[in-house]
Structure formats: structure tokens, C-alpha cells
Amino acid sequence: MLRIVLAAFAAMAMSAAVAGAPPVVPDTMAQRMQPCTACHGKEGRPTQLGFFPRIAGKPAGYLYNQLDNFRSGRRAYPTMTYFVEQMSDDYLREIAGYFASLDLPYAPPQAVDAPRDEIRRGEALVRQGDAAHGIPACVQCHGAAMTGVLPAIPGLLGLPRGYLVEQFGAWRTGQRKALAPDCMARIATALTPSDIAAVATWLSAQPASLPPAAADTLARPLPLACGSVSP
Amino acid sequence: MTRWRAAALVLAAIVLAGAGLVAWLNVRGEDPLTGDAGSFVATPEQVAQGAYLARAGNCAACHTDRGGAAFAGGKGIATPFGTLYASNLTPDAKTGIGAWSAAQFWRAMHNGRSADGHLLYPAFPYPNFTEITRADSDALFAWLRSQVPVTQVNRPHDLRFPYSLQASLAVWRALFFTPGVYEPQVERSAQWNRGAYLVRSLGHCAACHSPRNAFGATRDSLELSGGLIPLQNWYAPSLASGAEAGVADWSSREVADLLKTGLTSRGAALGPMAEVVFRSTQHLTDPDIAAMAEFLKSLPQAPAHRGTPAKLDKDVQAHGETLYKDHCATCHGARGEGGAGPQGVVYVPLAGNRKVLLETPANFIHIVVNGGFPPTTAGNPRPYGMPPFGPSLKDEEIAVLATWVRNAWGNAAPPVSALDVLEAR
């Protein structure tokens, strides 16, 4: 219903522009967040450029942490930093809540073009981890359905392979950080480059089952201490 | 032989005299250093006043690094001469200013010399701060000393030779820096004088809004007449020209709106000015903002000249209009009239918009390419933003679009080239 109202508003604004009357700007978050759609897609779904992550439906706590990470230099992407550096905590929380509230279907997954061994290794790491190397399974924290866990653990589906690989690389080099202790940096460092490729390949090829909402509970304790997730 | 020796002696005397003159010029006007760190006792009023002045001077913009401890320094300031790193202002005795006396702090603010005597680079805007009063300097010092000490060793500057030498800096200071005092102009109101003091000293508006010479010195004779911010691709428009950012014909209310909320029906604060509003001016009192407005409104204005319209050929005209309709009209209106929501202006008008029409198109291109949000402020806590069109439009398309907007609805300004766009990316 909300979407229909928004669409009607947008159509009105559009027709006003065509007719020559001054546009009446809708007093909505959707309108305020227009700049985000240039990369993250309309309604927070990624564009065809194949790099930008889906933000719609991610847990609000996770999204807020990332906005704050960009503002505080723990993550580095010039456009994101430029957008959020003069924003209050209140507004960042509202923005995070807005995108978290969007319940939208997922785009079809990316086509897999990888050797069978790589795919198998990827699935094994995601589902079982690699105890010998101290690597927990992704599903232990990100939820059995990999759709994230409230309030601050992100889902892993609908993310482009290139984005996933780059995040692991950024954790390894310290380009991407989280509040200490930085569990993902530890995991990324323990993974080999071919492990990272395998995980990214497998994850990016998974279809999202509906509903894609984040789980609200998780077996505790977590396998690793994470500063961005309250214990 | 004796002739050579005489010549050498004369030369040596000239060099010595020159060095002596430079040295003297570097320490002129200094007050004696009295008292030590322990002898300064701050009053609560001083601490409160200092907190306010630190906002007015936007100290945090440089002295707090992104994600770093407040006022512990470390942020890099890129200049054409190399990168300077802001210093630790927390009261840590070893790495901050915990062992400084109030007199040493005053010497840094007023004379540009550090506690140990070394000359400070004017990226620390003491050419402006020099006009601060001793009382305000002491209040700032009192407030800084009340902060949590943070142990963080200052990062050495990374400057190219010869800018890295203190001797070079001494010559620069001899040529371009004179310690000054704010002299109230008696024929002006107290409010005007307060505004002038804030703009010229702590506000250090001239650091961006005045042109700089080849040696990086701002030129006093061209006060606030606009300057390109080095290495950032933003132009700080002239506050002394109605064609740029002069406010002589604005109401005080409009000036206050811009400085307090970051948004007016004439334009929004984006880029470096968004930071100034966010960290500094939105926190100033209404009387201080009114004072700054009175001073800024009184600045002598360069004669307004109408821009030369670009001659658009038919293809550019048609292509530009299509691009505008497809990407801009929904928000900025079919005739560039802007858009408003229930609380007033949201999307600024583009017809007659001075930022769009600046001779230097850098800011306009920057905004089209990168988009941006005005700052969140008490008066505009949930800003709308401009999408970046860099990802979706080619340089040539942005050039055509910008040229078209600069010449639509009575606008008149020189064309923008694809090269201009490339430079701004």
C-alpha cells in the first residue's frame, strides 16, 4: 500500500513537472534517499553494475554500523563518506531503519561459472566452516538461511561476487574495519585467497528464499567475539 | 685578492643582515612568556566560553581525525606544498599541550610559534587567528586543558623541499605574515564589529574565501573575494560579489538561515561549506550569526556583470533539454524553479542560481557528478539530497547538461567542456 502511495506521489510530481507547476516534493524517506538509489538501485536493490551491495531489508543495526563506519573512517568508499560525514546519529539511525524496513523481492542470483571443486569448497566453508584453520561456518552467525540476524548481523544473499571478494580483501588489508574485536578481519585473514573466491562464488549464486527477513534469534555464544554485535 | 675578500665580506654582511632581518620579523610583536603550565587557573566561565569559541573556530575540522580521538590531531591537510598533519591539542603532557603555558598558547595563536619556539605552518590559520583577543585565546586554552588527555605523538609533516625547512618558512613569514590585533571601527556598530571579528579571526573564512598567491598566502587587499580550495576542486566563491556569494542584497534572516540550517531558497551548503555549517556555524548564537551577517552584508561588492551567454548549437540545445527533462526536472522543476515540501524549499532553484552560474564551473560540476547532502542541522535535521550522476552519465553528457542549464530560463554563463567534467571527477 505504502509503495502505491509513493508511486502515486512520484507520478504527481512528475506530471507537475511536465505541466510546468512547481514540483511538490513528497515528505518521505524514499524521496530523501534518492541519492542512494543511484548505486544501490531503486528501493535499495542493487543496480546492474554488479558491484554495489543490496541494502534493502538488511538489519537496521548492521546498516547503522556501516553508515557510522563510513563516517568514522573504518570503511573507505569516497562517495559514502562524502554523503554521511555531515549527518547526525539520529539521521543515520533513521536512514538505517528506512532501508531495513523495505521488504522487496530479491533479484535472481548471478550465474555461476566456476569449477565444481570451487563450488563445493565454498558451500563447505559457508555451512561447516574449517575447524582445522579456526574458521567458523558463515551460517553460525549469519543465520541458517543466511538472511542475517537481528539486530546487527547482515544477510549474505543478493550480494554481487565482486563486492564479496572486495570486502574480504579490505578486511585483510585493514581497509575495512569494524568495532573491535573485529571478527570478520580475523576470519578474512584465516581464509586463503582461493577460499575467499570459493565462498564468494557460492554465496553469490544462491537464490534467496522468501521471505528474506533476518532471523531474530541465534544460538549463543557466537563462535568469535564481534565488537559490532552485542554479546 | 683583497678585492675578492672585501666583496666576500660585503656579501656575508648582506646575507647576515638579511637573515637578521628575517629573524627579527619572525619574532616581532611577541609578548614575554610569563607563567608556566601550572600557573594557569581556569574559571568555569572560561571553559564554557572556550568550548563555544572552539566551535566558532572549527578547530575540530583539522585537529580531530576521521574516527580519531577528539582534538588529538593526526588529520592530513593536503596542500600544493605537501601534506601537513594537525597536532594533538589535548592536555597530554608529552604529546599534547599539557605542558604549555597560556602565554605559549597565545604565542601560537597570535604569532604562529609553537611552545618550543619552532615556526608553525600557516595551514594552521594564525594569519587569521592573530586578531583573536588574549581573553578569547585564554578561554580556548582553558577549554582545551579541560579535555581528556590523549597520548598520540604528532605525525611529522610531509612537505617537499624547500618548504620543509624552517628557514623557508621564516622567509615566508617575513614576507606575508604580520601579527595583528582586531581594531574596532568606531564608526561601525558594536554588532558589525563583533561580526568582523568573528569572520576575520576565529572564523578564518578568508582561509578558503580569499585568493592565495603562488606562495599560498592569502591576499588581504582582496578580502573574501573568492579562492579555489587547493586540491579539492571546490571554489570558495567571493563574499564580495553579488555575482558569486555576496549577501549584500540578502536579508539578515537569509544569511542566518544559510549559516544555521545549511539551506535557503537561494542555495544549499554543500561540500566544504556543509562541513563549516555542520561543525561550526550552526552552533553559534543568534546574536553572533546576526553580527556576522551584518558584517558580510557590508562588504564592498564588486560590480555585478552579467555573464556572457554561451552560443549553443541546435544539437546541444536539444540534447541538453532532453537530459534535463530525464534527470533533473522531477526535482528542480521544468523551468528550474526548484521544489518545495511542506516545510519549505527542498530542491533549490536552478534558474538564477549563482552556484550554477559561477565563471568557474567546478562546484556545479562537482555537485552534478558527486551529488551530496546538505548538513543535518537543528533547522534541517532530515535533509534531502542530490543523487550523483557521475556513475550514470558520461563526461560529454554532463558537459552538455551543465552548459544547457547554465543558459536556460534567462541563465547566462560560459559553456562547460567534457574536460572540465573530467577534471572535477
Side-chain angles (χ1 to χ4, degrees), chain A residues 47-190:
Chain A
T47 60
Q48 301 308 311
L49 293 174
F51 174 77
F52 300 103
R54 176 192 174 96
I55 51 178
K58 286 242 176 88
Y62 171 77
L63 291 176
Y64 169 77
N65 284 344
Q66 302 320 304
L67 291 168
D68 184 43
N69 287 344
F70 283 115
R71 193 177 52 171
S72 307
R74 286 186 291 268
R75 285 188 73 171
Y77 193 80
T79 301
M80 283 303 302
T81 306
Y82 169 65
F83 276 2
V84 301
E85 67 189 339
Q86 276 96 42
M87 284 186 181
S88 66
D89 270 341
D90 285 350
Y91 200 36
L92 293 191
R93 284 188 200 286
E94 185 176 359
I95 291 169
Y98 165 71
F99 283 108
S101 75
L102 298 178
D103 180 15
L104 300 163
Y106 279 62
Q110 293 183 322
V112 193
D113 178 23
R116 192 167 287 228
D117 282 354
E118 182 179 326
I119 296 172
R120 220 176 281 140
R121 173 69 177 158
E123 179 169 13
L125 282 165
V126 171
R127 295 204 190 278
Q128 285 102 43
D130 183 346
H133 294 98
I135 300 164
C138 304
V139 296
Q140 272 181 275
C141 293
H142 293 274
M146 295 166 288
T147 51
V149 181
L150 297 175
I153 302 177
L156 303 178
L157 303 179
L159 297 172
R161 184 175 184 279
Y163 173 78
L164 287 166
V165 170
E166 179 161 313
Q167 300 320 300
F168 281 107
W171 275 309
R172 285 165 71 96
T173 58
Q175 279 273 308
R176 175 171 176 165
K177 300 188 203 69
L179 293 169
D182 192 343
C183 49
M184 280 308 300
R186 269 185 67 183
I187 293 169
T189 315

Side-chain angles (χ1 to χ4, degrees), chain B residues 6-355:
Chain B
L9 274 174
V10 169
L11 192 66
I14 291 171
V15 169
L16 267 178
L21 178 66
V22 166
W24 174 78
L25 285 169
N26 267 275
V27 298
R28 75 189 135 156
E30 286 189 2
D31 295 327
L33 289 177
T34 51
D36 56 24
S39 65
F40 181 79
V41 182
T43 65
E45 292 75 25
Q46 272 180 314
V47 173
Q49 175 68 0
Y52 179 76
L53 296 171
R55 298 269 207 196
N58 203 2
C59 310
C62 291
H63 288 280
T64 301
D65 198 7
R66 190 188 303 288
F71 297 97
K75 184 166 174 176
I77 316 296
T79 76
F81 313 100
T83 301
L84 294 122
Y85 293 93
S87 57
N88 183 347
L89 297 186
T90 71
D92 183 63
K94 281 227 172 65
T95 63
I97 62 169
W100 287 36
S101 68
Q104 285 171 324
F105 185 77
W106 164 245
R107 191 175 71 175
M109 294 291 288
H110 184 61
N111 304 89
R113 278 222 291 154
S114 188
D116 66 4
H118 80 263
L119 308 175
L120 295 167
Y121 282 94
F124 166 52
Y126 61 83
N128 309 111
F129 292 165
T130 187
E131 293 195 7
I132 193 177
T133 63
R134 176 67 195 253
D136 279 353
S137 172
D138 284 353
L140 264 177
F141 184 63
W143 180 76
L144 286 169
R145 294 241 304 200
S146 74
Q147 300 302 293
V148 181
V150 176
T151 304
Q152 180 169 307
V153 178
N154 287 330
R155 185 166 170 182
H157 301 317
D158 185 11
L159 292 166
R160 293 196 311 279
F161 181 84
Y163 313 114
S164 51
L165 300 179
Q166 283 275 297
S168 310
L169 180 53
V171 172
W172 186 96
R173 285 163 51 96
L175 290 171
F176 302 118
F177 172 63
T178 315
V181 175
Y182 180 73
E183 305 278 5
Q185 294 194 18
V186 288
E187 74 280 11
R188 300 282 195 172
S189 69
Q191 175 167 278
W192 184 95
N193 276 296
R194 172 70 178 163
Y197 171 71
L198 286 169
V199 168
R200 285 182 174 150
S201 68
L202 267 178
H204 67 284
C205 307
C208 291
H209 284 282
S210 284
R212 290 177 186 270
N213 65 19
F215 301 100
T218 53
R219 291 182 283 181
D220 290 347
S221 58
L222 301 170
E223 187 183 23
L224 302 172
S225 64
L228 201 60
I229 304 176
L231 311 180
Q232 287 191 25
N233 270 321
W234 285 98
Y235 171 73
S238 170
L239 301 175
S241 162
E244 298 201 0
V247 291
D249 67 340
W250 287 33
S251 69
S252 298
R253 179 63 209 250
E254 285 175 308
V255 181
D257 278 350
L258 185 69
L259 295 175
K260 294 281 282 192
T261 72
L263 183 66
T264 73
S265 57
R266 308 226 204 189
L270 287 174
M273 194 61 198
E275 190 204 341
V276 171
V277 172
F278 184 69
R279 289 180 185 263
S280 176
T281 56
Q282 69 157 320
H283 304 288
L284 301 189
T285 63
D286 289 347
D288 275 351
I289 291 290
M292 290 166 79
E294 181 173 343
F295 169 71
L296 291 172
K297 280 169 64 59
S298 78
L299 284 173
Q301 302 286 302
H305 62 94
R306 227 185 109 70
T308 341
K311 287 207 172 59
L312 309 192
D313 68 41
K314 253 195 180 148
D315 290 351
V316 170
Q317 181 73 34
H319 191 194
E321 189 167 3
T322 307
L323 286 167
Y324 183 82
K325 272 189 184 146
D326 289 351
H327 300 287
C328 319
T330 309
C331 294
H332 289 288
R335 294 185 312 278
E337 69 273 31
Q343 276 100 40
V345 65
V346 168
Y347 298 121
V348 300
L350 302 182
N353 184 316
R354 297 187 299 184
K355 201 178 288 178

Side-chain angles (χ1 to χ4, degrees), chain A residues 38, chain B residues 365 367-371 387-395 398 421 425:
Chain B
I365 298 172
I367 294 165
V368 175
V369 169
N370 298 305
F389 288 94
S392 52
L393 296 181
K394 300 190 191 80
D395 291 354
I398 292 174
V421 179
R425 278 206 191 245

